[in-house]
Amino acid sequence: MEQEWKPDAQEEGALSFRLMTLEDIPDVLAVEHEAFSVPWTEEAFRNELKLNHFAHYMVMEYEGRLIGYAGMWTIVDEAHVTNIALLEAYRGRKWGERLLSELMKTAAFMGMEKMTLEVRLSNHVAQRLYMKKGFKPAGVRKGYYSDNQEDALIMWADLPPYRGDEGMEGSHKQS
């Protein structure tokens, strides 16, 4: 039986979160290509960061190295997760959960009340994480994924009001 990996305090302290910059795109693309069968392009990320005023992206670093990122669009009081990904070498440590917690905390900080996302019907690992964080299934988008026309499960969560560091994990830097 595989033993569950438990990070020590020093490793947890080496995690940090910050807003994504244009300079991060090459490292983000490395994560993107490892995580997704149809990865976003450099141009897509540039457009999100420079032209989309609804878009908000963050990166997760471990000991100064970019190991994951997450993004969302914020419209009125709803946040729509566009993508969330972590390098494979850092999965299984509950750091994907930390990254999602940070994104949810940021959305709440910005006044968002609900968060939605789509996830492949076959991605049970991600679905379990989302349910653990309060997401509930709300419908299906038929043929959503362009690589194989797989359906997407639509999930929604209510966001708790922002309360600083109280009740949520991680650090938060806003510029």
Side-chain angles (χ1 to χ4, degrees), residues 50 64-65 128-129 152 155 162:
K50 291 175 73 174
R65 177 180 181 218
R128 279 192 300 275
L129 168 62
M155 301 183 84
Y162 180 77

Side-chain angles (χ1 to χ4, degrees), residues 17 56 58 70-72 74 79 81 84 96-117 129-136 156-164 167-169 171-172:
F17 303 89
H56 305 276
M58 65 174 51
M72 64 183 165
T74 55
V81 177
I84 182 167
E97 183 175 345
R98 290 278 311 273
L99 182 54
L100 180 57
S101 292
E102 197 67 26
L103 190 67
M104 293 174 80
K105 179 179 170 182
T106 300
F109 175 80
M110 297 174 74
M112 302 298 109
E113 296 176 7
K114 294 183 178 294
M115 183 173 267
T116 187
L117 54 79
L129 168 62
Y130 300 143
M131 285 189 257
K132 181 177 180 182
K133 298 301 294 175
F135 285 85
K136 293 179 177 53
W156 282 90
D158 292 323
L159 295 172
Y162 180 77
R163 294 187 293 274
M168 299 284 282
E169 297 175 332
S171 61
H172 181 72

Side-chain angles (χ1 to χ4, degrees), residues 15-17 59-61 65-68 86 95 98-99:
L15 284 177
S16 62
F17 303 89
V59 297
M60 178 184 202
E61 294 179 324
R65 177 180 181 218
L66 192 149
I67 63 166
L86 190 64
W95 289 359
R98 290 278 311 273
L99 182 54

